Amino acid sequence: MSPRPRRLVTALIAALAVTTACTAGGGKSPTDAGPKAEARQTIEVWHGWSAPHEVKAFDDAIAGFRRLHPNITVKLVKGQDDTKILNAVRSGNPPDVVSSFSTNNVGQFCSSGALQDLTPFLRKDDVDLDMFPKAVQSYTQYKGVRCTLPLLADDYALYTNKALMKGQQPPKTISQLTALAKKLTVRNPDGTIKIAGFLPSITYYEHVPEHIAPSFGVTWLNAQGRANFAADPGFATYLKWEKSLIDWYGYDNVKKFVHSMGQEFEASNPFEKGKVAMAVDGEWRVKFLQEEAPKVQYDTTPVPVNDDRQNAFGGGFITGTVIGIPRGARHPQASWEFVKYLTTNTDALVTFANGLGNVPSTIPALASPKLSLPTQFRTFLDVFKDPNSTTIPSTVNGGDFIVKFQSFVRDEWEPGKVPDLQQGLTQLDTQVDNALKLAGG
């Protein structure tokens, strides 16, 4: 799975939440509603993958389910996003199973009831949630309602171009990263960037705050579920570091370099073209490099951490695809059998991971000898199960707090329009909290 743009569907889910809640089977427990799983039936499954190799990978992954449940015909519908899913639920004509690329929307899915709470199914079949890493358990539920399960995962690490590193070892701390970024940068005669050691700006693809800020030990929301930007000193430390390195490059030089970059998911990506020595990216880049730039020699290592957090080195940011059963699904028992198989069966997950170049989302699958991925992929398997790995907390309005923070950094902080950082973060907290209250959070 290559990453997809995250869509905020707050208004749609808010409207969905006030509609009359109805469950399949006229009020029965979802584990007893609808046809028995053993009955002959067809379930419709919506997913977001659309490229031919992605669609094939999904089909290959469920081959075992079809053999195990010959009475259940699975109709796969590709290229579906959260908006289409929620419109279908709202209209009362949802598919039986849906998957979403956006863990940021789990809070909305669960709190609105758009996706059913899977807890009764999990308890009935005694599914051990400890097969999933703690961060994954976190992003598949909201306030105790587990309306999704994980279906493969993405995590992030530092890619280093061996030729451009000139014999230097990959950094483990932010100070090492900063020193190397300056040492490995090559400038044109006019001072513009020819080769970037490491570009800290959030306008560089995956260098967004949710992937970099965890290196500084930030806590996004406080115990009351409110914005924590001003109270957590980790945010100020992260932002000051980022701005100092941008200023070293020159803000205009950074902008010019960013505007000259190729497409992130094409062979023109600057890391693949040898224009960037170090970059934070997801595990999918391994497959891209294998197919688009096989001559590039590179390493992968965990993302460096701030110098006062060296014991946390090895972790990283985790997210991934989630899957669930919509409210109003007509075949909930068969749907659950499908969801359970695809999210807990080791062979299915390994087949899917091999086909997409993603991280399998259970601990047993991580250890499977059937995983056939390049050596550099090992880092992502290790990051995924590292106890220091983190994710973004769920909220009732999805990733709105992340969107607002990124806008603050991109539009105000990086250009130097914030005279007082603490005041700016305090104002940001107020904006985020007001939006949460408006959404009912």
Side-chain angles (χ1 to χ4, degrees), residues 64-107:
F65 178 83
R66 286 179 163 134
R67 290 191 298 270
L68 191 64
H69 298 276
N71 61 298
I72 301 174
T73 300
V74 181
K75 179 184 177 182
L76 299 177
V77 182
K78 66 180 181 179
Q80 303 301 299
D81 61 29
D82 289 0
T83 300
K84 293 177 182 177
I85 291 168
L86 291 163
N87 277 329
V89 175
R90 191 181 184 195
S91 70
N93 189 34
D96 295 289
V97 177
V98 297
S99 71
S100 168
F101 292 137
S102 181
T103 57
N104 284 356
N105 284 335
V106 169

Side-chain angles (χ1 to χ4, degrees), residues 121-123 125-140 146 148-153 318 323 336 338-350 359-368 381 384-386:
F121 294 103
L122 291 162
R123 287 176 177 168
D125 288 353
D126 198 24
V127 175
D128 183 6
L129 291 175
D130 285 338
M131 73 171 64
F132 308 115
K134 294 298 182 184
V136 176
Q137 293 183 39
S138 174
Y139 71 60
T140 50
R146 187 170 302 283
T148 67
L149 286 177
L151 179 59
L152 300 189
I318 297 177
I323 190 168
W336 165 245
F338 181 87
V339 169
K340 180 177 65 172
Y341 176 85
L342 197 54
T343 58
T344 65
N345 184 279
T346 296
D347 284 344
L349 287 166
V350 169
V359 177
S361 39
T362 66
I363 293 172
L366 292 172
S368 171
L381 301 179
F384 185 68
K385 60 187 177 183
D386 193 286

Side-chain angles (χ1 to χ4, degrees), residues 30-212:
T31 62
D32 299 321
K36 297 293 185 183
E38 297 79 16
R40 187 165 296 279
Q41 58 199 293
T42 297
I43 61 172
E44 188 167 301
V45 178
W46 287 11
H47 64 83
W49 290 283
S50 56
H53 79 279
E54 296 174 329
V55 174
K56 181 181 184 302
F58 201 131
D59 203 54
D60 290 345
I62 67 171
F65 178 83
R66 286 179 163 134
R67 290 191 298 270
L68 191 64
H69 298 276
N71 61 298
I72 301 174
T73 300
V74 181
K75 179 184 177 182
L76 299 177
V77 182
K78 66 180 181 179
Q80 303 301 299
D81 61 29
D82 289 0
T83 300
K84 293 177 182 177
I85 291 168
L86 291 163
N87 277 329
V89 175
R90 191 181 184 195
S91 70
N93 189 34
D96 295 289
V97 177
V98 297
S99 71
S100 168
F101 292 137
S102 181
T103 57
N104 284 356
N105 284 335
V106 169
Q108 296 172 312
F109 286 140
C110 295
S111 62
S112 69
L115 298 186
Q116 297 182 33
D117 187 358
L118 299 177
T119 302
F121 294 103
L122 291 162
R123 287 176 177 168
K124 182 177 181 180
D125 288 353
D126 198 24
V127 175
D128 183 6
L129 291 175
D130 285 338
M131 73 171 64
F132 308 115
K134 294 298 182 184
V136 176
Q137 293 183 39
S138 174
Y139 71 60
T140 50
Q141 62 85 38
Y142 177 67
K143 291 188 175 180
V145 177
R146 187 170 302 283
C147 68
T148 67
L149 286 177
L151 179 59
L152 300 189
D154 297 317
D155 59 21
Y156 295 80
L158 183 73
Y159 286 75
T160 51
N161 182 307
K162 287 186 176 182
L164 299 182
M165 291 292 286
K166 300 176 182 178
Q168 300 289 329
Q169 293 300 306
K172 293 184 177 181
T173 66
I174 292 297
S175 64
Q176 292 171 355
L177 174 67
T178 305
L180 275 175
K182 296 177 179 179
K183 184 174 183 177
L184 301 177
T185 292
V186 179
R187 295 180 185 264
N188 294 307
D190 63 356
T192 56
I193 304 168
K194 182 178 181 180
I195 297 175
F198 178 88
L199 208 66
S201 172
I202 71 168
T203 56
Y204 182 87
Y205 304 140
E206 301 297 330
H207 289 185
V208 294
E210 57 196 290
H211 302 162
I212 308 295

Side-chain angles (χ1 to χ4, degrees), residues 217-233:
V218 299
T219 300
W220 297 95
L221 304 175
N222 62 23
Q224 290 72 45
R226 296 302 182 219
N228 204 37
F229 298 119
D232 187 339

